Structures are given as C-alpha cells and as structure tokens.
Amino acid sequence: MNAALRKQRLRAFIRQVWDLGNSAAADDYIAECYRIHHDPGDPWDGQSLDLAGYKDRVDRSRAAFPDQAFDIQGLFADGDHVVMTWLWSATHRGDLPGFPASGRTIRMSGATAYGYDADHRLTGHWQITDRLGVYQQLQANLSATR
Amino acid sequence: MNAALRKQRLRAFIRQVWDLGNSAAADDYIAECYRIHHDPGDPWDGQSLDLAGYKDRVDRSRAAFPDQAFDIQGLFADGDHVVMTWLWSATHRGDLPGFPASGRTIRMSGATAYGYDADHRLTGHWQITDRLGVYQQLQANLSATR
C-alpha cells in the first residue's frame, strides 16, 4: 500500500517540481528538514535544507535547463525508501561556469534513493549521476561553437 | 523471504567475486545470460554476457585494482530487483589507458539495480558510477607524479 502510494507521489513530485519547475509544489512533498546524504558534484552535497532552501535548490538547478525532463526507468520501494533510476534530458539554455548556453540537448542518467517519513514526505536522498557524461557533452558543445 | 535471501546472496557475491576476485564463484550467482542494460563508461555497456564472458569482465575490471573493496551503503528489494548503493575504494596497482599505476587510493561511489531470476541468480544490471570523481583522482595522481 505504502509502496504504491510513495511511488505515485514520487512520480508526481518529479513531474511537478523538477520537470515543470513548480518549486512551490515542494510544500506537498518535502519534509521540514531535507538531508542530501551523498550527491557527488551537487553544490548542496552534505547539506540539510529547509523548505525554502530546497525550493532555492530547485530554482537554481533548473536555471540553465528550463525544459528539463526526467524519464523514470525504475522505482524500487523497500522499507522507508524508494529508489528511482532515471534518464534526463534538457536544452542547455542558461550559462554554467565555463560553459555558456549552447542551445544543445544534454542527456544524463542517474540513480536516487529517497527516504520517506510517516506522512510520505521526502526526508532526503543519496544520489549518483553520470557527471562525466554531462561534462563530455558540455565540452564537445563548447568546442563545436568556438 | 525472497528479499532477505536475495540481499544476503548479493552481499556474498560482491564479497567473493568483486572484492576477493574469485571470479569462478560467479557460477553460483550469475544466470546463463547476464545483460548489462545501462552502465555508462563500462566497456561492456549494452552487452549480454555468458558466464565465461562475465568472469572475463571481473578479471579485466579488477586487474588495475586488485585490493578493491565495496562498502555497501543500502540494499533495496522490490519485485525481482535489488538495488545496491555503494562506496568503493582500491589501490591503483595496474596501468589504465593514459594512467600508469600510481599506488594511490582511488575512491568511487555508485548505485546498481540488479535483476534476479526464479533461482535467485543475477540476470543483469542497470548502473551509474561517479566516473568524473574517478577521472579527477586519476588526473590529480598523474600530475603529482610527473
């Protein structure tokens, strides 16, 4: 029961907050304290965020990639966690340090283990993304436009 | 019941085959056909391996890192899958393309979704590793020894 509900809520959260950029909707999904346990390369790695901090993270993360979309590959529920495996794509529309907006499509893949509280809100995550793949695409686009 | 058994078998498999390098022990854990569904940067990404092919992958992958050890962070069982989140460390003892053996410790993290058959054997995986983190360490070690 909980597993199906939590998977459904995770799909809705990813769609509303991360794909469509409705960071205010995080109120319905994120606990008062959200812990980023492990997320190499993420600027918020290791931090605990309140709701305002979480929304700020969403807004800043999406700034360079406003049309981003997650393509969920698998959802795996066990105990108080749901793990999501995913692909992601976005048009590079905003500047990143060292990489001005290219207008090109960037693709990424990753896996994220989300923790839940008793109210089925997200309490944090442990995440790996294929950063090297993204870096190589940004680098190739930079070379192509020079 | 299946979930606990499969988690226990996964721990034993990682320890015997990947940590200790007993690739012959894969006979007990790997199905006749093992599919690497998604594993960016892995030389076998997208391939289907028979048992001999799987053992060859173990032997080749471990060659540069003979003392490698996985530190399992979480195991999440759902349906016919178990997802493992993990840290990894090893001494860089063998040459890699562009990176001669440095004798330094390399650290990595990743997440792997393993599929199981009815005999609790592994049928394949979907994996993400933090390749950029590894690349940055190899690069730093190369600069330090130049």
Side-chain angles (χ1 to χ4, degrees):
Chain A
M1 237 5 220
N2 275 355
L5 173 63
R6 287 174 172 181
K7 289 180 186 178
Q8 178 226 304
R9 279 176 59 82
L10 187 55
R11 284 188 189 278
F13 162 72
I14 294 295
R15 180 72 185 141
Q16 291 174 48
V17 175
W18 285 99
D19 286 359
L20 299 176
N22 179 10
S23 56
D27 289 339
D28 295 335
Y29 297 105
I30 300 294
E32 284 83 0
C33 178
Y34 186 92
R35 177 86 183 161
I36 301 178
H37 298 281
H38 184 77
D39 198 343
D42 189 281
W44 292 267
D45 185 20
Q47 295 187 30
S48 291
L49 306 177
D50 61 12
L51 258 170
Y54 190 89
K55 292 174 190 175
D56 180 60
R57 175 170 174 269
V58 171
D59 293 340
R60 288 177 192 242
S61 300
R62 292 185 76 270
F65 302 104
D67 68 354
Q68 68 177 249
F70 281 86
D71 176 7
I72 297 174
Q73 298 294 291
L75 292 172
F76 308 92
D78 189 353
D80 56 0
H81 284 82
V82 175
V83 181
M84 179 173 93
T85 53
W86 48 269
L87 307 178
W88 174 98
S89 63
T91 312
H92 180 192
R93 294 263 180 238
D95 295 343
L96 296 171
F99 299 103
S102 67
R104 307 258 180 136
T105 300
I106 300 290
R107 298 181 194 284
M108 178 166 59
S109 47
T112 313
Y114 287 101
Y116 286 73
D117 68 12
D119 298 322
H120 310 305
R121 295 179 309 178
L122 301 172
T123 60
H125 76 247
W126 195 106
Q127 177 168 271
I128 298 292
T129 63
D130 181 25
R131 297 191 286 150
L132 183 58
V134 171
Y135 178 78
Q136 288 170 334
Q137 291 168 74
L138 293 171
Q139 199 70 47
N141 293 343
L142 195 65
S143 306
T145 55
R146 253 174 188 161
Chain B
M1 240 357 225
N2 275 356
L5 173 63
R6 287 174 171 180
K7 289 179 185 178
Q8 177 227 305
R9 280 176 58 84
L10 187 55
R11 283 189 188 279
F13 163 72
I14 294 294
R15 180 73 185 140
Q16 291 174 47
V17 174
W18 284 99
D19 285 359
L20 300 177
N22 179 9
S23 56
D27 290 337
D28 294 337
Y29 298 104
I30 300 293
E32 282 84 1
C33 178
Y34 185 93
R35 176 86 182 162
I36 301 177
H37 297 281
H38 184 78
D39 198 342
D42 189 281
W44 293 266
D45 184 21
Q47 294 186 31
S48 292
L49 305 177
D50 60 12
L51 259 170
Y54 190 89
K55 293 174 189 174
D56 180 60
R57 175 171 174 268
V58 171
D59 294 339
R60 288 177 192 239
S61 300
R62 292 185 78 270
F65 302 106
D67 69 354
Q68 69 177 248
F70 281 86
D71 176 7
I72 297 173
Q73 298 294 291
L75 293 173
F76 308 92
D78 189 353
D80 55 0
H81 284 82
V82 175
V83 181
M84 179 173 94
T85 53
W86 48 269
L87 307 178
W88 174 98
S89 63
T91 313
H92 181 192
R93 294 264 179 236
D95 297 341
L96 295 171
F99 300 104
S102 67
R104 308 258 180 134
T105 300
I106 300 290
R107 298 181 195 282
M108 176 167 61
S109 48
T112 314
Y114 287 102
Y116 286 73
D117 68 12
D119 297 324
H120 310 304
R121 296 179 308 179
L122 302 172
T123 59
H125 75 249
W126 195 106
Q127 177 168 271
I128 297 291
T129 63
D130 181 25
R131 297 191 285 151
L132 183 59
V134 171
Y135 178 78
Q136 287 169 335
Q137 293 168 71
L138 293 172
Q139 198 70 49
N141 292 343
L142 195 65
S143 306
T145 55
R146 254 170 188 163

